[in-house]
């Protein structure tokens, strides 16, 4: 059933110029400096398939700097920011459990409808890098319920500020630090953020 899900959505997404990423159950639409990405997360069980759709943006420069910091080879599916389609459209649940062909076609139709009504517009909006700082700030500092990937969001928000050559004071850095502490992020993560800050300041602002 997993292959059927990918097949049905591939036919639909190709019409909107989203094409499959080799080796992944994901589709991307490239733009200058990055990609809009739709990820199909599916988990097979003996009696069915659990399906979740995620929408994401990848900014190439952000991912290049982050992976360079860790001395890792770049991952073509590394994501700069992502949300579940259910966070963008209230018309579908976060996950669907599919047990037969009838349920499959119903869920695929609901996913396609949610993408057309909300999902594609959300991706188009975030493809504008000028909107990212405000969007990140809202997620990190203003939202009551913090996302589980808060460290990665803080990290990429910080890198984005560097790319945009914004003035980054110690006060700005400790705003991020405070959020990580409040969310009880493991020490190794915020220490990595501190090291990243020092390295980038030496390399980009020397």
């Amino acid at each position: 059933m997993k292959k059927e899900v990918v097949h049905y959505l591939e036919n639909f997404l190709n019409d909107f110029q989203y094409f499959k990423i080799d080796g992944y159950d994901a589709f991307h639409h490239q733009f200058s400096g990055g990609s809009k990405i739709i990820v199909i997360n599916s988990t097979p069980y003996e009696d069915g398939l659990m399906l979740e759709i995620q929408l994401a943006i990848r900014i190439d420069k952000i991912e290049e700097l982050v992976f360079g910091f860790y001395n890792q080879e770049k991952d073509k599916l590394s994501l700069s920011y992502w949300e579940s389609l259910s966070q963008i459209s209230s018309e579908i649940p976060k996950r669907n459990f599919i047990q037969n062909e009838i349920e499959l076609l119903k869920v695929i139709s609901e996913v396609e409808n949610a993408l057309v009504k909300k999902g594609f517009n959300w991706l188009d909006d975030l493809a504008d890098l000028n909107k990212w700082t405000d969007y990140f700030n809202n997620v990190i500092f203003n939202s009551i319920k913090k996302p589980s990937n808060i460290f990665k969001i803080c990290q990429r928000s910080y890198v984005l500020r560097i790319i945009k050559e914004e003035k980054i004071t110690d006060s700005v850095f400790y705003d991020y630090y405070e959020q990580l502490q409040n969310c009880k992020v493991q020490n190794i993560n915020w220490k990595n953020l501190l090291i990243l800050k020092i390295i980038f300041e030496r390399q980009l602002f020397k």
Side-chain angles (χ1 to χ4, degrees), residues 55 57 80-84 87-88 121-123 125-143 147 153 157 160-161 164 176:
L55 307 188
I57 295 288
S80 303
Y81 184 73
W82 67 92
E83 287 189 8
S84 172
Q87 294 175 266
I88 298 157
N121 288 335
W122 184 85
L123 287 165
D125 196 45
L126 277 191
D128 182 354
L129 196 61
N130 291 323
K131 298 180 180 180
W132 269 55
T133 298
D134 288 342
Y135 197 89
F136 270 144
N137 284 348
N138 186 54
V139 172
I140 295 168
F141 302 111
N142 299 330
S143 60
I153 294 175
S157 173
L160 175 65
R161 288 174 179 264
K164 295 175 69 175
Y176 286 103

Side-chain angles (χ1 to χ4, degrees), residues 192-206:
N192 279 343
L193 190 64
L194 176 58
I195 295 170
L196 180 143
K197 169 183 181 290
I198 294 170
I199 290 176
F200 283 171
E201 285 178 348
R202 288 176 179 172
Q203 291 182 351
L204 300 181
F205 298 108
K206 59 184 178 182

